[in-house]
Amino acid sequence: MGVRKEEKGNGMLEIIDLHAEVDGKKILKGINLKVNLGEVHAIMGPNGSGKSTLAQVLAGRESYNVTNGQVLYDGQDLLDMSPDERARAGVFMAFQYPVEIPGVSNTYFLKAGLNAIRKHHGLEELDAMEFLKFVKEKAKFVNMDETLLSRPVNHGFSGGEKKRNEIYQMAVLEPKLAILDETDSGLDIDALRIVAEGINKLRSKNNSIIVVTHYQRILNYVVPDYVHVLLGGRIVRSGGKDLALQLEDKGYDWVKEEVEAVS
Amino acid sequence: MQSTNKDWYLASFEAFEKSLNGEMKSSFHGIRKEAIGRFAELGFPTTKNEEWKYTDVSPLTRLRFQPVLQYAGEGVSKKDIERFRLGIQDSHVLVCVNGHFSRELSAIGKIPAGVRLGGLAEEIRSGNQLVEQYLARKAKYENDSFTALSTAFLMDGIFVRVPDGVVVDRPIHVIFISQNQDTEVVVHPRTLVVAGKSSQAAFVESHVSLSSRPYFTNVVTEIVLGENAVVEYDKVQMDSTSAFHISTTHVYQERNSNFASNAITFGGLFVRNNITAVLDGEGSEATLNGLYLATGEQLVDNHTTIDHAKPHCPSHELYKGILAGKSRGVFNGKIFVRKEAQKTDAKQTNKNLVLSDEASIDTKPQLEIFADDVKCTHGATIGQLDDEALFYLRSRGVGLEKARDILIYAFASDVVDKIKVAEMRETLQAMLHDRLEQSRAFNKN
């Protein structure tokens, strides 16, 4: 299957037996996953398998209740940190449904975030001029329309613009761990290419990326090191990039059947 | 009990009359006497009065405020004025201390020919014809206790006259300072603005104080817009948090005139703002916007009235409120469409952000429509900060307090951004920030 087994010992994220529920409904039922620095992992699964819940739990959404397990991020207890502490420590989630905030400009929003992160790392906060120069470079880098910068956060953006805005934010905030929650869904092929190109430009030896997706399509552009299949709140199968192609070919049913046959 | 509270003011009036000496013979004194007569009959309103249903004035009427019979601005310096300029670098500054105009503290600067900016007392004394025509004629004291009191004790204030066709480029900024180190005082800031035909001006009225002792400021502003005149009126209320502030703004509009007000309320313990715009000429347009932030134990009550008296007049209203701590808010928006006022297009919106479980707001639209071909819409909302937006901001590294502040600024920006005096916008945002900080400090204690 071409699975690379070697442990590198530079663990960015380690999820151990994670259980979580929403409104009393059990969604995650024992997730185990290790992501090393420099790796791209794809987490695939059908609707309702728990993909987005996993992303939300990692980002710190309060309405998700962790009932068991542990998550280590860069050696720290991630679940003990508030959403903003996680972000300042380098965790980033690209939202499946980016939130509209009328009355707050994209630039102001990002400046508040970036400066909070810089302050956390003992760096000087950027003033308005420095920040503007910085974001303009980043906008160019990920092919973002500059006019979107002065507009209110996601307000009146098209679906594609919202997703590109997420990748743009990733470019500005330079996270160590990025979790992309269905960033590809709802995009036409041109928008998908631009988004994927942005992700590839940001991909490096110094960060890790988890691509949460329903479809294999984005993985043609963002080629993962590992692919995991999430079913019924558990990772039931892990493999290399070929696993994604198999899923594309045959759907999720064959995995389901195999899992059921074993249990 | 009610009568004794009233008697205090009637007795004060006698003392006031004596201090006037020769001025008692002036023609304006007849109006003062009529007004105190009306006050004697009306007394203070109770919550049985529909206009005061949600606001009980007894905390105010219970106190014995001393009238300020003469100018006493010795304790106020030019430096004090500087910090009250709201960030507006270039404006015609007029200062009143305890309702009395001070030429020394004012910085009127160069004004276009024919424009008059100054004290009301000298205009009354010299028998200014516009003053005789409009002062105490537009803001009716016959049925309003507080306007009656203001008129009875009327001595001084501000007079602004912009002649026909004149555009005043720089904002006219009136600063009303309350100053009472030793006693609890009542002051009656009074303003008359007469904007001539096709004239244009921006008028900023701010209320501040130099002491923390309770005082009662009873404000009346009358604004008259001639045909085709354009006036912006920004009222910025930053009284101390132990102040009682009751204000009545009365706007009278002739044909094709355009009036926009922005009522910003940050200070005071007990605040009631009344604003009435009478659209008494075809094609005239009124915009009444407001922003109020109440924290601690503050009460902020905004009553607006738009009186559509003539056809083809649009009116717009957007009031936004932020209520924190144990504060209470009231919004009552009356739209009156007279039989003649066909093709009226009135839109009213009141939105409230309630930040704590102990804060509350009563909001009520009041439509009285007697014409049949009109468009009137109104809407009111009461909500909390959006959790999704808060999480989004936090997920980008912004701490909880800052994230909340950003969303509160965003909420307020609808109103702040509409203020045309650009330099003021930033100042207002900084003030909003300070008030929110104070509110947090209050909650922690």
Side-chain angles (χ1 to χ4, degrees), chain A residues 60-62 82-84 87-88 92-93 95 99 101-102 104 108-109 113 116 153-154 166 169 173, chain B residues 386-400 402 406-407 409-411 413-414 429:
Chain A
R61 172 88 72 175
E62 274 141 359
S82 71
D84 43 296
R88 291 194 291 270
F92 176 90
M93 178 177 76
F95 281 52
V99 183
I101 315 183
V104 179
Y108 184 79
F109 171 74
V153 180
N154 294 320
E166 295 294 293
Q169 292 174 32
L173 301 179
Chain B
D386 178 2
D387 280 337
E388 288 283 312
L390 264 183
F391 179 65
Y392 195 47
L393 276 155
R394 295 180 76 192
S395 79
R396 300 304 182 242
V398 181
L400 180 60
K402 171 101 180 176
I406 290 176
L407 294 181
Y409 298 154
F411 176 80
S413 69
D414 271 4
Q429 201 174 57

Side-chain angles (χ1 to χ4, degrees), chain A residues 192-232:
Chain A
L192 179 73
R193 268 197 204 114
I194 293 170
V195 163
E197 220 171 83
I199 299 168
N200 282 333
K201 280 184 177 169
L202 297 170
R203 177 180 188 170
S204 88
K205 276 187 285 190
N206 302 316
N207 61 26
S208 309
I209 298 173
I210 298 174
V211 181
V212 175
T213 179
H214 190 98
Y215 309 103
Q216 186 273 336
R217 198 176 55 158
I218 188 172
L219 303 179
N220 289 336
Y221 303 94
V222 181
V223 180
D225 300 304
Y226 298 92
V227 174
H228 310 277
V229 180
L230 196 58
L231 262 184

